[in-house]
Amino acid sequence: MPHLLSLIREDVATVMEHDPAAKSRLEVYLCYSGLHAVWFYRVNHWLWNHRLFLLGRWLSQAARLLTGIEIHPGAKVGRRLFIDHGMGVVIGETAIVGDDVTLYQGVTLGGTGKEHGKRHPTLEDNVVVGGGAKILGNITVGRNSRIGAGSVVLRNVPEHSTVVGVPGHIIFREGKRVVITDPKQINDPLSEALAAVATEVNRLRDRVQRLEGSEGKGDPLSATLQQIMEDVDYQI
Ligand SMILES: CC(C)(COP(=O)(O)OP(=O)(O)OC[C@H]1O[C@@H](n2cnc3c(N)ncnc32)[C@H](O)[C@@H]1OP(=O)(O)O)[C@@H](O)C(=O)NCCC(=O)NCCS
């Protein structure tokens, strides 16, 4: 671990540069448990790579006790990882984290429970993951992408994208808004239910129009149904 001290200095400098809440270097050294967890990880990863698996694992649990952050010593973590607030962050054994990544509290880089081997995500450089987000499985989040707070991401995310929701879907790509027109793109059981409701409303509107023997122009009931259809279309 010849570089440990220089990595620590680099981490502190990065926090001073990017976190407006950081008032002094001493404060960052003493109060940023996200950094403490990363420093523990650097030692534990070295132990892991030197086949001291149990010691590395045991120390990672000690680090979790002290910081509330669990980084498996087998994970591969790049430089200047910033875990802000930190409590509840979990980084799995086969996760790969690039340089200059930011994770907020409650983030999980976990497995789906269905895969073997490489079963945790890869985050490329400059990714930001919002509080409570879950990124699951052997997927890749491309560089400079952002994952919204509370999202659950189960599919690859391209570079320069913003993803929100459960399950996560892209709302911005390369700075442009992405509009979802097909509910299947979200792959959310709820949007299937909404699509079914929209179909049913359509069917009922046709029926009401037939019963009334009109096209419904100027008819308040049809106007209301039309409004419902438009709202539902917008939501899905
Ligand atoms: C995802 C995020 C990066 C997007 O920020 P942004 O690019 O400024 O996007 P906007 O705020 O303009 O939101 C764009 C749309 O996404 C929605 N959205 C934003 N964040 C969302 C989230 N986490 N979950 C669901 N929807 C979200 C907004 O409601 C908006 O929808 P609309 O256009 O239909 O009204 C940001 O909202 C976020 O979640 N950041 C994480 C911050 C965090 O975890 N902080 C912890 C501090 S302790």
Coordinates of all heavy atoms in Angstrom, one line a residue, residues 85 104-105 130-131 146 148-149 162 164-165 171-172 177, ligand 1:
H85 N -22.5 11.2 3.4 CA -23.3 10.7 4.5 C -23.1 9.2 4.8 O -22.7 8.8 5.9 CB -24.8 11.0 4.3 CG -25.0 12.4 4.0 ND1 -24.8 13.4 4.8 CD2 -25.4 13.0 2.8 CE1 -25.0 14.6 4.3 NE2 -25.4 14.4 3.0
Y104 N -24.5 8.4 -2.5 CA -25.1 9.0 -1.3 C -25.6 7.8 -0.4 O -25.5 6.7 -0.8 CB -26.3 9.9 -1.7 CG -25.8 11.2 -2.3 CD1 -25.8 11.4 -3.7 CD2 -25.4 12.2 -1.5 CE1 -25.4 12.6 -4.3 CE2 -25.0 13.4 -2.0 CZ -25.0 13.6 -3.4 OH -24.5 14.8 -4.0
Q105 N -26.1 8.2 0.7 CA -26.5 7.2 1.7 C -27.5 6.2 1.2 O -28.3 6.5 0.3 CB -27.1 7.9 3.0 CG -28.4 8.5 2.8 CD -28.4 9.9 2.1 OE1 -27.3 10.4 1.8 NE2 -29.5 10.6 2.0
G130 N -27.9 8.6 -6.5 CA -28.6 9.3 -5.5 C -29.0 8.4 -4.3 O -29.0 7.2 -4.4
G131 N -29.4 9.1 -3.2 CA -29.7 8.4 -2.0 C -30.7 7.3 -2.1 O -31.7 7.4 -2.8
R146 N -26.2 9.7 -14.2 CA -26.7 10.0 -12.8 C -27.9 9.1 -12.6 O -28.8 8.9 -13.4 CB -27.1 11.5 -12.7 CG -25.9 12.4 -12.9 CD -26.4 13.9 -12.7 NE -27.4 14.2 -13.6 CZ -28.2 15.3 -13.5 NH1 -28.1 16.1 -12.5 NH2 -29.1 15.5 -14.4
G148 N -31.1 8.6 -10.1 CA -32.0 9.4 -9.2 C -32.1 8.7 -7.9 O -32.1 7.5 -7.8
A149 N -32.3 9.5 -6.8 CA -32.6 9.0 -5.5 C -33.8 8.0 -5.6 O -34.8 8.3 -6.2 CB -32.9 10.2 -4.6
T162 N -29.4 10.2 -17.4 CA -30.0 10.3 -16.1 C -31.2 9.3 -16.0 O -32.0 9.3 -16.9 CB -30.6 11.7 -15.9 OG1 -29.5 12.7 -16.0 CG2 -31.2 11.8 -14.5
V164 N -34.3 7.6 -13.5 CA -35.1 7.7 -12.3 C -36.1 6.6 -12.3 O -36.4 6.0 -13.4 CB -35.8 9.0 -12.1 CG1 -34.8 10.2 -12.1 CG2 -36.8 9.2 -13.2
G165 N -36.7 6.3 -11.2 CA -37.9 5.4 -11.1 C -37.6 4.0 -10.7 O -36.5 3.6 -10.6
I171 N -34.4 9.4 -18.3 CA -35.2 10.6 -18.6 C -34.4 11.7 -19.4 O -34.9 12.5 -20.0 CB -35.8 11.3 -17.3 CG1 -34.7 11.5 -16.3 CG2 -36.9 10.4 -16.8 CD1 -35.1 12.4 -15.2
F172 N -33.0 11.6 -19.2 CA -32.2 12.5 -20.0 C -31.1 11.7 -20.6 O -30.5 10.8 -20.0 CB -31.5 13.6 -19.2 CG -32.5 14.6 -18.6 CD1 -32.8 14.6 -17.3 CD2 -33.0 15.6 -19.5 CE1 -33.7 15.6 -16.8 CE2 -33.8 16.5 -19.0 CZ -34.2 16.6 -17.6
R177 N -34.0 15.6 -23.2 CA -35.1 14.9 -22.5 C -35.5 13.6 -23.3 O -35.7 13.7 -24.6 CB -36.3 15.8 -22.3 CG -37.4 15.3 -21.5 CD -37.0 15.2 -20.1 NE -37.9 14.3 -19.4 CZ -38.7 14.6 -18.3 NH1 -38.6 15.8 -17.8 NH2 -39.4 13.7 -17.8
Ligands
LIG1 C1 -32.2 12.3 -10.8 C2 -31.6 13.7 -10.5 C3 -30.1 13.7 -10.6 C4 -32.2 14.6 -11.6 O1 -31.9 15.9 -11.5 P1 -32.3 16.9 -12.7 O2 -31.5 16.6 -13.9 O3 -32.1 18.3 -12.1 O4 -33.7 16.6 -13.1 P2 -35.1 17.4 -12.7 O5 -35.1 17.7 -11.2 O6 -35.3 18.5 -13.6 O7 -36.2 16.2 -12.9 C5 -36.6 15.8 -14.2 C6 -37.8 14.9 -14.0 O8 -37.4 13.7 -13.3 C7 -38.2 13.6 -12.1 N1 -37.3 13.1 -11.0 C8 -36.2 13.7 -10.6 N2 -35.6 13.0 -9.6 C9 -36.4 11.9 -9.5 C10 -36.3 10.7 -8.6 N3 -35.2 10.6 -7.8 N4 -37.2 9.8 -8.7 C11 -38.3 9.9 -9.6 N5 -38.4 11.0 -10.4 C12 -37.5 12.0 -10.4 C13 -38.7 15.0 -11.8 O9 -39.9 14.9 -11.1 C14 -38.9 15.5 -13.2 O10 -40.1 15.0 -13.7 P3 -41.1 15.9 -14.7 O11 -40.2 16.5 -15.7 O12 -42.0 14.9 -15.2 O13 -41.6 16.9 -13.7 C15 -32.0 14.3 -9.1 O14 -33.4 14.5 -9.1 C16 -31.7 13.3 -8.0 O15 -32.4 12.4 -7.7 N6 -30.5 13.5 -7.4 C17 -30.0 12.7 -6.3 C18 -29.7 13.6 -5.1 C19 -29.5 12.9 -3.8 O16 -29.7 11.7 -3.7 N7 -29.2 13.7 -2.8 C20 -28.9 13.2 -1.5 C21 -28.5 14.3 -0.7 S1 -28.4 13.9 1.0

